[in-house]
């Protein structure tokens, strides 16, 4: 399969090699997709895990090893013009429209009802909800593929207590994405949301790992590859019939 005939996926939020976004990109590349990804280094700089130096280059190298043509775009999704700029850059690089939009980006800073600042609340909704709507809008306006081939997949969370702006903005993301399953009917595009449950991508303490693994029937945490397998299926021809769903992929977490 040549790069011209490979479908093209845009995967947002691929900032670290251990992240869910990177796992999804690897799996799609293995399944024959070319990959455009976004990252935003200033976000990692603000987080306690910091920037993983060389992560973008490492992921791009892994995708190339899997046969994918790949590119990365630094994208501040808090800015309203960014989604259009990303799609423009992808079109310029590949010369064809995006077939699958997979949204793994997020703003996630722990805070509750009483200590969340207005600035933080607005930033969460700008990145997790508004940017997702604008990405879907750009995708819908530009999609020209055969009916039944287009895919939108978003990653969500049901976390609320002690994580108000993240959980609330992810709830808005759910509604926006599920609306696309009906409003993009004329394009034959499917849209689904995945809740991957607790996946250790470097943010968990040893205590959290033990506690969360104990709440799962299989006795382990989720991995980026677990989520990636489901995304891969939803983006495949075989996954076409699943549409407008919020899917729990959490190992049966109680």
């Amino acid at each position: 399969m040549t790069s011209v005939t490979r479908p093209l996926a845009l995967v947002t939020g691929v900032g670290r090699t251990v992240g869910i976004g990177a796992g999804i990109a690897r799996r799609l590349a293995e399944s024959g997709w070319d990959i455009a990804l976004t990252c935003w280094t200033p976000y990692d700089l603000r987080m306690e895990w910091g920037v993983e130096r060389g992560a973008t280059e490492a992921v791009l190298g892994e995708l190339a090893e899997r046969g994918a043509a790949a590119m990365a775009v630094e994208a501040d999704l808090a800015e309203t013009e960014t989604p259009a700029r990303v799609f423009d850059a992808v079109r310029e690089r590949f010369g064809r429209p995006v077939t699958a939009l997979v949204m793994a980006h997020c703003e996630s800073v722990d805070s509750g009802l009483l200590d969340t600042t207005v600035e933080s609340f607005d930033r969460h909704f700008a990145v997790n909800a508004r940017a997702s709507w604008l990405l879907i809008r750009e995708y819908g306006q530009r999609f020209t593929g055969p009916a039944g081939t287009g895919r939108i997949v978003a990653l969500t969370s049901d976390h609320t207590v002690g994580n108000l702006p993240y959980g609330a903005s992810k709830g808005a993301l759910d509604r926006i994405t599920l609306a696309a399953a009906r409003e993009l009917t004329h394009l034959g595009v499917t849209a689904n949301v995945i809740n991957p449950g607790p996946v250790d991508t470097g943010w968990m303490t040893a205590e959290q790992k033990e506690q969360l693994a104990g709440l799962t029937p299989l006795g382990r945490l989720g991995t980026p590859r677990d989520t990636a397998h489901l995304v891969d299926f939803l983006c495949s021809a075989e996954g076409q019939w699943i549409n407008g769903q919020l899917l729990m992929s959490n190992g049966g977490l109680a």
Side-chain angles (χ1 to χ4, degrees), residues 51-234:
V51 173
E52 182 185 353
R53 300 297 178 186
T56 300
E57 293 75 14
V59 172
L60 290 175
E62 292 181 78
L63 300 180
E65 290 173 359
R66 290 162 169 79
M71 69 171 292
V73 182
E74 281 276 345
D76 181 5
L77 291 171
E79 300 295 331
T80 56
E81 70 275 8
T82 298
R85 181 176 64 82
V86 169
F87 272 87
D88 286 342
V90 173
R91 182 66 189 232
E92 181 178 355
R93 165 64 176 81
F94 288 98
R96 62 189 193 276
V98 170
T99 305
L101 170 63
V102 182
M103 296 181 291
H105 67 273
C106 76
E107 171 76 15
S108 178
V109 179
D110 293 347
S111 62
L113 285 165
L114 303 183
D115 61 337
T116 294
T117 66
V118 171
E119 178 189 15
S120 179
F121 188 90
D122 287 348
R123 187 186 307 116
H124 278 80
F125 271 84
V127 174
N128 297 342
R130 186 179 68 196
S132 299
W133 158 54
L134 292 174
L135 285 163
I136 291 173
R137 188 175 72 173
E138 289 295 328
Y139 175 86
Q141 290 173 340
R142 298 170 186 242
F143 181 78
T144 58
T149 61
R151 301 286 187 270
I152 297 172
V153 181
L155 300 189
T156 192
S157 172
D158 56 8
H159 201 185
T160 53
V161 177
N163 212 349
L164 168 71
Y166 177 69
S169 57
K170 283 291 190 175
L173 161 69
D174 297 351
R175 302 304 99 184
I176 292 167
T177 305
L178 295 179
R182 298 299 297 272
E183 293 196 22
L184 300 184
T185 298
H186 63 291
L187 298 176
V189 169
T190 67
N192 294 286
V193 184
I194 297 173
N195 184 339
V199 177
D200 181 22
T201 57
W203 59 271
M204 291 185 188
T205 65
E207 182 180 1
Q208 286 173 320
K209 291 179 184 179
E210 181 179 1
Q211 178 186 16
L212 291 169
L215 294 173
T216 306
L218 293 175
R220 69 169 178 86
L221 298 170
T223 68
R225 195 162 179 83
D226 290 326
T227 306
H229 281 305
L230 180 53
V231 173
D232 184 36
F233 176 73
L234 291 174

Side-chain angles (χ1 to χ4, degrees), residues 17-78:
T17 58
V18 297
I20 295 177
I24 291 169
R26 292 187 193 102
R27 181 60 196 152
L28 289 176
E30 291 168 359
S31 293
W33 292 74
D34 286 337
I35 308 293
L37 56 88
T38 73
C39 54
W40 184 236
T41 302
Y43 173 71
D44 289 317
L45 281 170
R46 286 194 285 113
M47 305 307 288
E48 57 187 40
W49 53 72
V51 173
E52 182 185 353
R53 300 297 178 186
T56 300
E57 293 75 14
V59 172
L60 290 175
E62 292 181 78
L63 300 180
E65 290 173 359
R66 290 162 169 79
M71 69 171 292
V73 182
E74 281 276 345
D76 181 5
L77 291 171

